[in-house]
Amino acid sequence: MKGYTYKLNSPKSMEREERNIATYTRDELSEMTTLQLRSICHKEKLVEGLSGSLDREALMRTVLKYRNAEQSLLITSFKHGGHERVEAHLKRYLNTPIRDNGSLKVPARLTLYSGLQVDSRDKYRIEVPSTFTESNVLIVNDHQELCGIAYLIRDAAESGVYYLGVSKEIPFYQTGNKNYSFLFFRKQDSEYIYKSYQQDKPLPPVNLHYCRIPIADLDIRELEETEVVLAIDFGTSNTTAGAFLDSSYISTPSAHDQLNGRIGLGRINYVSFPNMTRKTEEWIEVLPTVVSVADCSDASKIRYHFGYEALKSMKKSGYTGHATVFHGIKRWVNNYKQTEELMDPQGNALSVVRSDILRAYITHVVEMAEHQFKCRFKHLHISSPVKLRTQFSDMFATILPEYDIETEHGLDEGMAVLYNTIADQIEKRSFMDGESYNALVIDCGGGTTDLSSCRFRIEDGHLSYKLDIHTAYENGDTNYGGNNITYRIMQFMKIVFADYYSSRRRVTDIDHLIDIPGTDLYRHVDEYGVSSVYEGFEAAYREAEKLIPTRFKTYENRTREEYLRVRSNFYFLWEIADNMKKEFFRKTGIVRNRFDSDSGNRQENDLKITAVDRWCLSLTDHDVMKDVYDFPNVVFNIKEINQLIKADIYDIVRKFLEDYYQEGKLQDYSIIKLTGQSCTIDVFREALKEFVAGRSIEFRQKTEHPGQVPDLKLACLRGAIRYLNDRKAGIIEASITNDAPIVPYSVVAFTHSRQEKLLISMQERLSHVQGSVSRPFSAVEVEFYLKGGDGEVRHKYVYTSDASSYTPIRYEDIKEAYGTKIPQDDTDSIINGEVKLFVFAEANAWGFHVLPITRRDEQLYRGTKQFFAFENDLSELDFFDGWK
């Protein structure tokens, strides 16, 4: 199976000069535990730090002694009075010019925007001689007036090359004299400038050495507001954003960004985010939906890390830091007003509302878009699941009041994906004019999987294409997505590592853990259920927990060191499992892959090496935890992973399509559209072929930029952008009807004699849902139970009755407000002293309402109506809760 393996092994011996020597700052080390500091000493072979007698501070001094990363003092945050102090020092001490021999090269034109940062992505390239390094750069005019403060960012890939950086907090000033110049300084002079900006106390006199380079053209602008809609695909695991930019989206688009390819006019532009989890920074069109707390010492200025920066901060602390981390914040939609406890790396604690965290994340995405596209957005389109469209719209309208959230013409996730296909048909004219098409959309995202149906017709009208679209939610699983695949791989890794590190040192065989032949696997799932496939696998995983513990929740009553070790185990294994999943399923033709301490030199052309900075697992040995640093010499291959996840994926496909297949409805669908990153897996398509002919499935794994974001991940975002733009341009006139979704749950209550009463039937359209249960008026609490497809109780809801809230009402008023949801026969049968709790749903709300009506002295009274969501947190399965 050459070309289909993934290997973790120890690094080969390399000469010291060929190694990339890691360096550390005191701030980085101060956030690490004693365990992590010892791990660094072991990895870097710092003998002084391997002595067990050294405390945490001594370990930090040892690392800094041999691996100290020199820090540059750069002005990146606003300080009151700093601008004036620097300008005064320039006029007094700027005495000694440094002659430039032509080796210092600066951009010809510089365009700066008030309140917008400049970083390496803007590509203002500067070449400097060895005299200069990362330092502060001042912009002045001929009268020595200070116009702005910038700094140099080192290019890690090319020696002597830097990029201009500007903090969004530092203001720039336009002056009467427009002859602007850069002032470059030596390191010691730059540090003096830094101190003069930061300190309001007098500094000793100094002779500043500088190099003045004229700026050919400096343009300082205000950000212009655009009417373009920024589309955001807010996902459970990852988020993407983009917009269609034409030549008039602002009055003067940035020529610099157009020349550098950062924006393209007349096409869709995707927002790029910096991936800082790797050794070299790269920009990618997807942002992990992860938030960590950076600083909450001041309640009015809470600072967060988002996406890759949050993952990097977790990794830097060895997954054992104090900082609170939130995964899958999309799940909060039904409880976004709930309070969360925050803690930053320094131990500061604070309580905030979830909506504040959601707002901070979305605002960060918008700010990244504004930085890239050099405009101010006020219109947003945020995609949501079809069944929760109303809840998401209400939530975002509440937490983002300054933005115009597109609701009237917004698309849900499934509809956005489908419109991407419709737009392709229109462009290629590959449709029959006026003919109806039926489509199914399967969206397997990071945390959930949804099935939507759509019936659409395209007519080539006199002025535009007329679209008539009917869409509905058909089924879903809130507990299956890409994270489930990562977890399966993590389980397998843990089993393999436990066998490797144990005295047996045996090679784990997937056929031993899942002993059902691949050809019989689907039939076995049909007959015995998916859980039977993984019985032996789960038993082996529980056994592996004894050697490599990851269930850190169960260690909360143990010592702090034990708890942090186990927590570190989980997050470390999760990270490398997720990396391996991405490498195996990134492309159709997968190459071999392995983990190592460095990407280094390799001789095999088909070998992909994923670098792991610090390999460290904590093993339990006779109730004592010890560290292992050696890479396990084991090989994972694609056939094993496919066998591992095959039953899970088939089970989710079977759940969605089996009824359609048995009833012969699948042949009515001319399009079956797959979307979501998880659908790029070949096993997914193989499972679908059990029910659908392969030619009917729209399944594309291509990427617009090879090695970056899969096309399927961007399908939802692209479809939403194309719809908004086509509608704006008058290319289409669309009539979209959202039919009531099908409920994949049942709701029951119990009578006083403990007889179960069905109130909502499974697989019923939400608009048809209604039922009731009676209690005496004196009853204070009434319980309702939500059951899944397996008949097991998922949730218990409690309706609390308040006798003082009842108000008189006539049936005519009830009928006017609720129509047929509360039949007159049901209210006429209510006797004095009885309260009947009516259960009903509405097509635009994913859940059910409970409305109590009672009769007293022959008069009807209405109580308080209460809404209960089907899924409190959208997904009940949390992989980061410490129980995995």
Side-chain angles (χ1 to χ4, degrees):
M1 291 305 300
K2 183 179 179 182
Y4 289 91
T5 59
Y6 192 96
K7 187 173 182 180
L8 296 91
N9 68 351
S10 57
K12 297 178 181 179
S13 58
M14 292 180 287
E15 296 297 327
R16 170 61 62 180
E17 61 270 18
E18 293 179 347
R19 294 183 55 196
N20 289 323
I21 300 177
T23 57
Y24 308 88
T25 65
R26 175 167 284 278
D27 287 342
E28 285 181 305
L29 298 178
S30 64
E31 295 180 5
M32 297 183 183
T33 63
T34 304
L35 172 66
Q36 294 171 264
L37 295 171
R38 286 185 181 142
S39 173
I40 292 174
C41 292
H42 186 278
K43 176 194 172 187
E44 302 297 336
K45 296 181 173 58
L46 305 180
V47 180
E48 289 183 26
L50 298 178
S51 170
S53 61
L54 294 183
D55 59 16
R56 185 169 176 275
E57 185 61 33
L59 286 168
M60 288 175 58
R61 288 196 299 269
T62 301
V63 175
L64 290 173
K65 179 179 178 181
Y66 297 100
R67 296 290 185 269
N68 187 16
E70 190 176 15
Q71 287 184 292
S72 301
L73 300 180
L74 304 178
I75 301 173
T76 58
S77 58
F78 177 77
K79 186 78 170 181
H80 185 72
H83 183 94
E84 291 76 10
R85 289 191 294 272
V86 171
E87 188 174 63
H89 282 84
L90 287 181
K91 292 181 177 179
R92 186 176 304 173
Y93 303 127
L94 196 66
N95 299 320
T96 308
I98 301 174
R99 295 188 61 181
D100 173 42
N101 59 5
S103 59
L104 207 160
K105 300 177 182 178
V106 300
R109 178 181 173 86
L110 187 62
T111 304
L112 303 177
Y113 295 82
S114 298
L116 205 65
Q117 72 178 33
V118 175
D119 57 27
S120 59
R121 183 68 168 167
D122 291 295
K123 294 185 180 179
Y124 286 114
R125 178 187 171 101
I126 295 177
E127 296 181 25
V128 300
S130 57
T131 311
F132 305 99
T133 181
E134 284 191 343
S135 57
N136 296 293
V137 177
L138 304 183
I139 298 177
V140 299
N141 64 14
D142 280 352
H143 298 159
Q144 219 71 324
E145 293 175 305
L146 180 62
C147 304
I149 301 174
Y151 51 87
L152 296 179
I153 307 168
R154 189 192 306 273
D155 183 354
E158 192 173 352
S159 177
V161 175
Y162 295 79
Y163 291 101
L164 192 70
V166 176
S167 170
K168 65 180 180 180
E169 298 181 20
I170 306 296
F172 273 75
Y173 303 92
Q174 299 201 52
T175 60
N177 183 282
K178 301 295 184 181
N179 289 329
Y180 298 110
S181 299
F182 286 118
L183 292 184
F184 294 91
F185 298 93
R186 302 175 305 169
K187 182 176 177 58
Q188 59 268 36
D189 298 315
S190 172
E191 291 179 354
Y192 185 88
I193 296 294
Y194 174 86
K195 292 175 183 177
S196 67
Y197 185 86
Q198 298 291 339
Q199 302 176 16
D200 55 4
K201 60 183 180 181
L203 292 175
V206 71
N207 184 27
L208 293 176
H209 293 67
Y210 68 96
C211 183
R212 181 190 292 266
I213 303 294
I215 303 175
D217 188 4
L218 174 62
D219 187 7
I220 301 176
R221 303 179 181 177
E222 295 293 328
L223 269 186
E224 184 180 339
E225 195 172 82
T226 181
E227 293 298 319
V228 169
V229 179
L230 176 66
I232 300 174
D233 179 14
F234 181 48
T236 305
S237 297
N238 295 290
T239 296
T240 56
F244 185 93
L245 304 181
D246 56 27
S247 58
S248 61
Y249 84 98
I250 53 176
S251 58
T252 311
S254 171
H256 177 79
D257 288 333
Q258 292 180 63
L259 291 171
N260 287 328
R262 195 174 185 192
I263 62 172
L265 301 182
R267 63 176 175 85
I268 294 175
N269 289 254
Y270 300 107
V271 182
S272 297
F273 304 91
N275 182 355
M276 298 169 289
T277 59
R278 304 188 179 184
K279 288 188 175 181
T280 57
E281 181 180 282
E282 64 176 6
W283 291 74
I284 189 170
E285 296 91 351
V286 64
L287 181 72
T289 312
V290 183
V291 181
S292 68
V293 182
D295 184 3
C296 62
S297 57
D298 184 349
S300 63
K301 296 180 180 179
I302 301 175
R303 193 163 57 87
Y304 298 97
H305 291 313
F306 303 102
Y308 296 107
E309 191 177 11
L311 297 176
K312 181 181 178 181
S313 64
M314 288 176 62
K315 185 176 180 179
K316 188 173 69 172
S317 65
Y319 311 104
T320 60
H322 293 294
T324 307
V325 181
F326 299 103
H327 295 263
I329 57 177
K330 182 179 180 178
R331 300 184 299 120
W332 293 350
V333 61
N334 289 316
N335 284 304
Y336 68 91
K337 295 181 181 179
Q338 185 175 315
T339 300
E340 293 285 346
E341 293 291 329
L342 303 186
M343 183 179 291
D344 63 18
Q346 290 72 40
N348 300 307
L350 195 67
S351 294
V352 300
V353 183
R354 284 178 168 181
S355 57
D356 291 343
I357 302 170
L358 285 161
R359 173 183 168 80
Y361 183 84
I362 297 297
T363 302
H364 172 74
V365 174
V366 175
E367 288 176 349
M368 291 296 293
E370 292 177 341
H371 177 216
Q372 181 171 330
F373 303 147
K374 303 298 187 293
C375 63
R376 188 77 68 194
F377 288 101
K378 67 175 182 178
H379 302 287
L380 303 181
H381 177 285
I382 307 178
S383 303
S384 61
V386 58
K387 61 184 179 182
L388 293 167
R389 181 178 173 181
T390 301
Q391 284 96 318
F392 271 97
S393 295
D394 292 344
M395 179 182 74
F396 287 123
T398 300
I399 67 177
L400 300 166
E402 70 272 35
Y403 294 100
D404 177 18
I405 309 296
E406 184 65 67
T407 54
E408 182 180 357
H409 302 294
L411 298 183
D412 59 72
E413 293 168 351
M415 188 64 242
V417 169
L418 187 61
Y419 184 78
N420 195 48
T421 297
I422 294 174
D424 286 340
Q425 288 184 325
I426 291 175
E427 285 184 2
K428 300 173 183 176
R429 296 198 59 83
S430 59
F431 65 92
M432 299 294 292
D433 193 4
E435 182 175 325
S436 291
Y437 294 86
N438 291 326
L440 280 177
V441 179
I442 301 175
D443 181 9
C444 186
T448 61
T449 302
D450 291 314
L451 177 69
S452 301
S453 67
C454 179
R455 185 177 71 257
F456 66 93
R457 186 177 70 254
I458 307 173
E459 292 183 5
D460 190 354
H462 178 64
L463 299 175
S464 64
Y465 292 102
K466 298 184 183 297
L467 304 182
D468 182 32
I469 302 173
H470 292 260
T471 181
Y473 173 77
E474 299 293 338
N475 206 341
D477 192 318
T478 59
N479 290 321
Y480 194 85
N483 284 341
N484 298 69
I485 298 172
T486 300
Y487 179 57
R488 279 290 185 219
I489 295 175
M490 192 201 91
Q491 286 182 299
F492 185 48
M493 277 186 166
K494 182 170 156 181
I495 294 169
V496 171
F497 294 162
D499 282 344
Y500 177 83
Y501 287 121
S502 67
S503 57
R504 291 168 291 182
R505 296 271 172 170
R506 69 184 185 190
V507 177
T508 307
D509 187 355
I510 189 66
D511 291 328
H512 174 73
L513 299 172
I514 301 178
D515 58 357
I516 303 165
T519 54
D520 297 335
L521 199 60
Y522 293 163
R523 180 186 57 79
H524 189 92
V525 173
D526 289 335
E527 295 182 5
Y528 304 104
V530 69
S531 58
S532 66
V533 175
Y534 295 102
E535 285 178 353
F537 181 83
E538 292 288 351
Y541 184 70
R542 290 191 294 271
E543 187 67 24
E545 174 73 14
K546 297 176 182 178
L547 182 64
I548 308 176
T550 55
R551 302 176 77 236
F552 54 88
K553 192 72 176 177
T554 63
Y555 279 74
E556 289 183 345
N557 62 341
R558 309 280 279 272
T559 66
R560 178 178 181 273
E561 184 176 356
E562 287 178 300
Y563 172 80
L564 293 178
R565 283 175 181 268
V566 178
R567 187 181 175 200
S568 177
N569 278 351
F570 171 81
Y571 281 103
F572 177 72
L573 289 175
W574 181 273
E575 182 195 2
I576 63 175
D578 198 49
N579 285 338
M580 190 166 81
K581 179 187 75 173
K582 292 174 182 176
E583 293 299 338
F584 272 134
F585 302 128
R586 187 186 298 270
K587 308 173 189 175
T588 305
I590 184 67
V591 297
R592 290 193 299 138
N593 201 302
R594 78 178 189 198
F595 287 123
D596 209 331
S597 64
D598 200 310
S599 57
N601 297 320
R602 65 173 187 266
Q603 296 178 352
E604 302 96 334
N605 292 328
D606 64 341
L607 181 62
K608 162 73 175 173
I609 299 178
T610 302
V612 178
D613 292 337
R614 293 191 293 270
W615 183 275
C616 181
L617 282 173
S618 294
L619 309 185
T620 302
D621 184 15
H622 298 92
D623 294 328
V624 177
M625 301 196 78
K626 64 178 183 179
D627 305 324
V628 291
Y629 302 101
D630 59 310
F631 282 68
N633 188 22
V634 295
V635 175
F636 299 94
N637 64 67
I638 190 64
K639 290 187 67 176
E640 290 177 318
I641 304 304
N642 284 339
Q643 177 74 354
L644 176 67
I645 63 178
K646 192 173 184 178
D648 275 336
I649 291 179
Y650 173 72
D651 185 60
I652 197 71
V653 171
R654 181 177 68 111
K655 174 183 176 180
F656 286 169
L657 300 184
E658 188 171 42
D659 289 343
Y660 286 87
Y661 178 76
Q662 292 179 350
E663 296 170 9
K665 294 181 179 179
L666 278 178
Q667 61 187 7
D668 297 334
Y669 292 94
S670 55
I671 299 173
I672 297 196
K673 180 72 177 176
L674 299 179
T675 183
Q677 282 180 291
S678 301
C679 289
T680 60
I681 300 173
D682 285 336
V683 179
F684 216 110
R685 191 178 190 183
E686 290 173 9
L688 280 166
K689 287 181 179 178
E690 293 294 305
F691 304 95
V692 187
R695 61 183 176 83
S696 302
I697 306 170
E698 288 206 18
F699 179 87
R700 293 182 297 168
Q701 288 182 302
K702 71 173 185 178
T703 61
E704 290 190 342
H705 310 288
Q708 295 294 310
V709 184
D711 186 75
L712 288 175
K713 175 57 186 171
L714 295 174
C716 175
L717 179 65
R718 188 183 302 109
I721 296 173
R722 295 175 79 178
Y723 175 78
L724 294 170
N725 188 63
D726 289 350
R727 195 180 169 281
K728 174 185 174 183
I731 296 173
I732 63 168
E733 293 180 81
S735 171
I736 299 179
T737 303
N738 295 301
D739 297 331
I742 288 179
V743 182
Y745 306 109
S746 60
V747 176
V748 302
F750 290 90
T751 65
H752 67 283
S753 59
R754 302 307 297 167
Q755 295 295 312
E756 183 177 288
K757 185 170 185 181
L758 182 64
L759 303 175
I760 296 178
S761 298
M762 190 175 300
Q763 296 302 312
E764 189 174 5
R765 288 283 175 194
L766 201 59
S767 56
H768 300 155
V769 165
Q770 67 178 63
S772 64
V773 63
S774 293
R775 289 286 191 274
F777 182 74
S778 59
V780 178
E781 293 183 348
V782 182
E783 296 177 348
F784 299 90
Y785 298 89
L786 183 79
K787 291 186 175 182
D790 54 3
E792 297 295 322
V793 174
R794 298 285 187 89
H795 290 296
K796 181 178 78 171
Y797 307 97
V798 179
Y799 178 87
T800 303
S801 179
D802 180 5
S804 64
S805 67
Y806 285 83
T807 57
I809 192 172
R810 301 178 307 159
Y811 179 74
E812 289 76 13
D813 299 325
I814 297 175
K815 183 177 181 180
E816 182 180 351
Y818 304 107
T820 59
K821 297 182 186 302
I822 302 180
Q824 184 171 359
D825 289 346
D826 289 353
T827 58
D828 289 347
S829 63
I830 299 173
I831 63 174
N832 287 323
E834 174 191 359
V835 59
K836 185 170 287 187
L837 296 105
F838 290 90
V839 174
F840 58 90
E842 297 174 349
N844 61 352
W846 188 242
F848 62 93
H849 298 274
V850 175
L851 176 67
I853 296 179
T854 187
R855 188 184 297 276
R856 286 184 291 176
D857 300 327
E858 304 304 329
Q859 170 67 50
L860 289 177
Y861 289 81
R862 176 181 60 186
T864 303
K865 184 177 72 169
Q866 186 172 347
F867 177 76
F868 296 99
F870 286 135
E871 295 117 12
N872 287 336
D873 268 347
L874 191 60
S875 174
E876 304 155 13
L877 191 58
D878 185 358
F879 289 100
F880 306 96
D881 59 3
W883 294 106
K884 304 296 184 291

Coordinates of all heavy atoms in Angstrom, one line a residue, residues 308-338:
Y308 N -7.2 30.4 14.4 CA -5.9 29.8 14.4 C -5.1 30.4 15.6 O -4.3 29.7 16.2 CB -5.1 30.1 13.1 CG -5.8 29.4 12.0 CD1 -6.5 30.1 11.0 CD2 -5.7 28.0 11.8 CE1 -7.1 29.4 9.9 CE2 -6.2 27.3 10.8 CZ -6.9 28.0 9.8 OH -7.5 27.4 8.7
E309 N -5.3 31.7 15.9 CA -4.6 32.3 17.0 C -5.0 31.6 18.3 O -4.2 31.4 19.2 CB -4.9 33.8 17.1 CG -4.0 34.6 18.0 CD -4.3 36.1 18.0 OE1 -5.3 36.5 17.4 OE2 -3.5 36.8 18.6
A310 N -6.3 31.3 18.5 CA -6.7 30.6 19.7 C -6.1 29.2 19.8 O -5.7 28.7 20.8 CB -8.3 30.4 19.7
L311 N -6.1 28.5 18.6 CA -5.4 27.1 18.6 C -3.9 27.2 18.9 O -3.4 26.4 19.6 CB -5.6 26.5 17.2 CG -7.1 26.2 16.8 CD1 -7.1 25.6 15.4 CD2 -7.7 25.2 17.8
K312 N -3.3 28.3 18.4 CA -1.9 28.5 18.7 C -1.6 28.7 20.2 O -0.7 28.2 20.7 CB -1.3 29.6 17.8 CG 0.2 29.9 18.0 CD 0.7 31.0 17.2 CE 2.2 31.3 17.5 NZ 2.7 32.4 16.7
S313 N -2.5 29.6 20.8 CA -2.3 29.9 22.2 C -2.5 28.6 23.0 O -1.8 28.4 24.1 CB -3.2 31.0 22.6 OG -4.6 30.6 22.5
M314 N -3.5 27.8 22.6 CA -3.7 26.5 23.3 C -2.4 25.6 23.2 O -2.0 25.0 24.2 CB -4.9 25.8 22.8 CG -6.2 26.4 23.1 SD -7.5 25.4 22.3 CE -7.3 23.8 23.0
K315 N -1.9 25.5 22.0 CA -0.8 24.6 21.7 C 0.5 25.2 22.5 O 1.2 24.4 23.0 CB -0.5 24.6 20.2 CG 0.6 23.6 19.8 CD 0.7 23.6 18.3 CE 1.7 22.6 17.9 NZ 1.8 22.5 16.4
K316 N 0.6 26.5 22.5 CA 1.8 27.1 23.1 C 1.8 26.8 24.6 O 2.9 26.6 25.2 CB 1.8 28.6 22.9 CG 3.0 29.3 23.3 CD 3.0 30.8 22.9 CE 2.0 31.6 23.7 NZ 2.1 33.0 23.4
S317 N 0.6 26.7 25.2 CA 0.6 26.4 26.7 C 0.5 24.9 26.9 O 0.3 24.5 28.1 CB -0.7 27.1 27.3 OG -1.9 26.5 26.7
G318 N 0.7 24.1 25.9 CA 0.7 22.7 26.1 C -0.7 22.2 26.4 O -0.8 21.1 27.0
Y319 N -1.7 22.9 26.1 CA -3.1 22.6 26.3 C -3.4 22.5 27.8 O -4.4 21.9 28.2 CB -3.5 21.2 25.7 CG -3.1 21.1 24.2 CD1 -2.0 20.4 23.8 CD2 -3.8 21.8 23.2 CE1 -1.6 20.3 22.5 CE2 -3.4 21.8 21.9 CZ -2.3 21.0 21.6 OH -1.9 21.0 20.2
T320 N -2.6 23.1 28.6 CA -2.8 23.0 30.1 C -2.9 24.4 30.7 O -2.9 24.6 31.9 CB -1.6 22.3 30.8 OG1 -0.4 23.1 30.5 CG2 -1.5 20.9 30.3
G321 N -3.1 25.5 29.8 CA -3.2 26.8 30.4 C -4.5 27.1 31.0 O -5.5 26.3 30.9
H322 N -4.6 28.2 31.7 CA -5.8 28.6 32.4 C -6.9 29.1 31.5 O -8.1 29.1 31.9 CB -5.5 29.7 33.5 CG -4.6 29.2 34.6 ND1 -5.1 28.2 35.5 CD2 -3.4 29.5 35.0 CE1 -4.1 28.0 36.4 NE2 -3.0 28.8 36.1
A323 N -6.5 29.6 30.4 CA -7.4 30.4 29.5 C -8.6 29.5 29.1 O -8.5 28.3 28.7 CB -6.7 30.9 28.2
T324 N -9.8 30.1 29.2 CA -11.0 29.4 28.7 C -11.1 29.4 27.2 O -10.8 30.3 26.5 CB -12.3 30.2 29.3 OG1 -12.1 30.4 30.7 CG2 -13.5 29.4 29.0
V325 N -11.5 28.2 26.7 CA -11.6 28.0 25.2 C -13.0 27.5 24.9 O -13.5 26.6 25.6 CB -10.5 27.0 24.8 CG1 -10.6 26.8 23.2 CG2 -9.1 27.4 25.1
F326 N -13.5 28.1 23.9 CA -14.9 27.7 23.4 C -14.8 27.1 22.0 O -14.3 27.8 21.1 CB -15.8 28.9 23.4 CG -16.0 29.6 24.8 CD1 -15.4 30.7 25.1 CD2 -16.8 29.0 25.7 CE1 -15.5 31.3 26.3 CE2 -17.0 29.5 27.0 CZ -16.3 30.7 27.3
H327 N -15.3 25.9 21.9 CA -15.4 25.3 20.5 C -16.9 25.2 20.2 O -17.8 25.1 21.0 CB -14.9 23.8 20.6 CG -13.4 23.7 20.9 ND1 -12.5 23.6 19.9 CD2 -12.7 23.8 22.0 CE1 -11.3 23.5 20.4 NE2 -11.4 23.6 21.7
G328 N -17.2 25.3 18.9 CA -18.5 25.1 18.4 C -19.5 26.1 18.9 O -20.6 25.7 19.4
I329 N -19.2 27.4 19.0 CA -20.1 28.4 19.5 C -21.4 28.5 18.7 O -22.4 29.1 19.2 CB -19.4 29.8 19.7 CG1 -18.9 30.3 18.3 CG2 -18.3 29.7 20.7 CD1 -18.3 31.7 18.4
K330 N -21.5 28.0 17.5 CA -22.7 28.0 16.8 C -23.8 27.2 17.5 O -25.0 27.5 17.3 CB -22.4 27.3 15.4 CG -23.6 27.3 14.4 CD -23.3 26.7 13.1 CE -24.5 26.7 12.2 NZ -24.1 26.1 10.8
R331 N -23.4 26.3 18.3 CA -24.4 25.5 19.1 C -25.2 26.3 20.1 O -26.2 25.9 20.6 CB -23.7 24.4 19.8 CG -23.0 23.4 18.9 CD -22.4 22.2 19.7 NE -21.5 22.7 20.7 CZ -21.6 22.4 22.0 NH1 -22.7 21.8 22.4 NH2 -20.7 22.9 22.9
W332 N -24.8 27.6 20.3 CA -25.5 28.4 21.3 C -26.7 29.1 20.9 O -27.3 29.8 21.6 CB -24.5 29.5 21.8 CG -23.3 28.9 22.6 CD1 -23.1 27.7 23.0 CD2 -22.1 29.7 22.9 NE1 -21.9 27.6 23.7 CE2 -21.3 28.8 23.6 CE3 -21.7 31.0 22.7 CZ2 -20.0 29.2 24.1 CZ3 -20.5 31.4 23.2 CH2 -19.7 30.5 23.9
V333 N -27.2 28.9 19.6 CA -28.2 29.7 19.1 C -29.5 29.7 19.9 O -30.1 30.7 20.0 CB -28.6 29.2 17.6 CG1 -29.0 27.7 17.7 CG2 -29.6 30.1 17.0
N334 N -29.8 28.6 20.6 CA -31.1 28.6 21.4 C -30.8 29.1 22.8 O -31.8 29.2 23.6 CB -31.7 27.2 21.4 CG -32.3 26.8 20.0 OD1 -33.0 27.7 19.4 ND2 -32.0 25.6 19.6
N335 N -29.6 29.3 23.2 CA -29.3 29.7 24.5 C -28.2 30.8 24.5 O -27.3 30.8 25.4 CB -28.8 28.5 25.4 CG -29.9 27.6 25.8 OD1 -30.9 28.1 26.4 ND2 -29.8 26.4 25.5
Y336 N -28.3 31.7 23.6 CA -27.2 32.7 23.5 C -27.2 33.8 24.5 O -26.3 34.6 24.6 CB -27.3 33.4 22.1 CG -28.5 34.2 21.8 CD1 -28.4 35.6 22.1 CD2 -29.6 33.7 21.2 CE1 -29.5 36.4 21.8 CE2 -30.7 34.5 21.0 CZ -30.6 35.9 21.3 OH -31.7 36.7 21.0
K337 N -28.3 33.8 25.4 CA -28.3 34.8 26.5 C -27.8 34.2 27.8 O -27.8 34.8 28.8 CB -29.7 35.3 26.7 CG -30.2 36.1 25.5 CD -31.6 36.6 25.7 CE -32.1 37.4 24.5 NZ -33.5 37.9 24.7
Q338 N -27.3 32.9 27.7 CA -26.8 32.3 28.9 C -25.4 32.8 29.3 O -24.7 33.4 28.4 CB -26.7 30.8 28.6 CG -26.2 29.9 29.8 CD -26.2 28.4 29.4 OE1 -27.2 27.9 28.8 NE2 -25.2 27.7 29.8

